[in-house]
Amino acid sequence: MGADPGPPRGVLHQRLEQGTFEHARRAPSAALAMLVEHYWYVAWDLRGLPAQQQETLPHPNVHYVIEPGLTAIYGVHSGRYVRMLEGQRRVFGIKFRAGGFRPFYGKAVSTLMDSSMDASTIFGAPASRFEQTILASDSFDAMIDAAETLLLARLPPHDATVAQVSALVADIATDRSITSVEEIAARSGLGKRSLQRLFNEYVGVSPKWVINRYRLHEAVAQLQAGTPIVWSELALQLGYFDQAHFIRDFRKLIGRAPGDYARSQDRH
């Protein structure tokens, strides 16, 4: 398997105030690298402690999640994901690469936005056995091995468009200079409407959504780093026309103004 993909982005509370929390990620094998971004595992132990709220800004990816009572394939979540953590739990997930679930699904990934589906719809009877294996395992490595076996047995025909879409989304995520749909359209060689249809079919959200989400990911990362920030400069750097628009978008998605969020990170 590949190495740890590095620290996650978009997790709004990086530490629990009490209890223990574990988060691990691992890249897939070479045979699945064009379809799967990574496998992930989270576990927490808050027994005897108050429940704690965790919030994330989801990426433009489909996830196959294994958790008692909540196992399903989840489409892109458009808003902030909020989860109350309590008791003791373990969760395993497969994060498909942007565009990587489309060959398994066979239709527009946008039809899964903000919704979920039974995994047996895609993987048949082996999905139930896979869930049982994951829930019975105490080893992240063993969980990954089971996931690889399941996916390789249902490996879809090669789709060259997946690589094109994944590369465009990766460019948006890593290149801070991309702040408009026109810029990504120019890189792709597609017109804006063709680009929007491509993202609707393969990613599940629009290119504008992806750009907005990743520039807010960048804003969160900078605030978490604790470095001094000039709000007007940060807004311009992220492609906003003015500070007011940046604060409005940040507040709408994060649930608080940038300054309030920065102060909450200082307290933690």
Side-chain angles (χ1 to χ4, degrees), residues 8-231:
R9 287 170 69 94
V11 179
L12 298 185
H13 307 299
Q14 296 181 309
R15 296 174 297 278
L16 293 184
E17 295 179 4
Q18 296 177 289
T20 61
F21 184 82
E22 180 184 354
H23 184 185
R25 305 191 301 167
R26 193 81 52 77
S29 65
L32 289 166
M34 286 310 303
L35 301 174
V36 174
E37 186 161 320
H38 61 252
Y39 304 107
W40 55 267
Y41 170 84
V42 297
W44 62 88
D45 189 348
L46 295 172
R47 288 175 293 179
L49 297 169
Q52 297 187 50
Q53 182 169 290
Q54 181 57 279
E55 299 174 285
T56 59
L57 300 184
H59 295 244
N61 302 81
V62 174
H63 291 257
Y64 183 177
V65 179
I66 304 295
E67 180 179 4
L70 295 171
T71 295
I73 294 173
Y74 292 85
V76 178
H77 190 80
S78 62
R80 181 173 79 255
Y81 179 74
V82 180
R83 172 74 184 265
M84 291 301 298
L85 307 183
E86 54 188 347
Q88 185 181 36
R89 278 257 170 159
R90 300 181 307 149
V91 187
F92 174 81
I94 302 170
K95 180 181 180 180
F96 290 92
R97 195 170 290 279
F101 186 67
R102 172 61 176 75
F104 291 98
Y105 193 39
K107 54 185 176 181
V109 178
S110 59
T111 60
L112 267 179
M113 186 177 182
D114 287 326
S115 64
S116 63
M117 64 186 298
D118 192 300
S120 64
T121 305
I122 303 297
F123 298 103
S128 178
R129 296 193 295 272
F130 172 61
E131 178 181 11
Q132 293 169 9
T133 299
I134 296 298
L135 296 179
S137 177
D138 290 325
S139 163
F140 187 30
D141 287 337
M143 295 176 184
I144 292 172
D145 288 343
E148 290 264 324
T149 299
L150 177 78
L151 296 173
L152 289 171
R154 288 291 192 278
L155 196 64
H158 176 70
D159 183 344
T161 305
V162 173
Q164 177 191 15
V165 171
S166 293
L168 291 174
V169 173
D171 283 348
I172 294 171
T174 58
D175 189 340
R176 298 179 189 176
S177 71
I178 299 175
T179 58
S180 71
V181 176
E182 288 77 11
E183 290 171 84
I184 198 68
R187 291 197 183 200
S188 69
L190 298 171
K192 285 181 62 176
R193 289 190 177 181
S194 295
L195 183 67
Q196 289 165 348
R197 286 194 295 269
L198 181 68
F199 272 58
N200 179 78
E201 185 74 21
Y202 277 80
V203 183
V205 287
S206 70
K208 181 179 180 180
W209 186 100
V210 177
I211 292 169
N212 288 345
R213 176 55 51 91
Y214 277 126
R215 63 184 182 179
L216 286 175
H217 272 210
E218 176 62 25
V220 167
Q222 292 199 31
L223 295 179
Q224 288 176 342
T227 54
I229 290 176
V230 178
W231 299 114

Side-chain angles (χ1 to χ4, degrees), residues 210-260:
V210 177
I211 292 169
N212 288 345
R213 176 55 51 91
Y214 277 126
R215 63 184 182 179
L216 286 175
H217 272 210
E218 176 62 25
V220 167
Q222 292 199 31
L223 295 179
Q224 288 176 342
T227 54
I229 290 176
V230 178
W231 299 114
S232 58
E233 293 179 2
L234 177 60
L236 290 174
Q237 175 190 337
L238 297 176
Y240 285 92
F241 292 113
D242 55 47
Q243 181 178 333
H245 282 84
F246 163 63
I247 293 175
R248 181 199 62 195
D249 278 6
F250 192 97
R251 188 196 300 272
K252 181 178 179 181
L253 186 59
I254 311 301
R256 59 177 72 182
D260 291 340

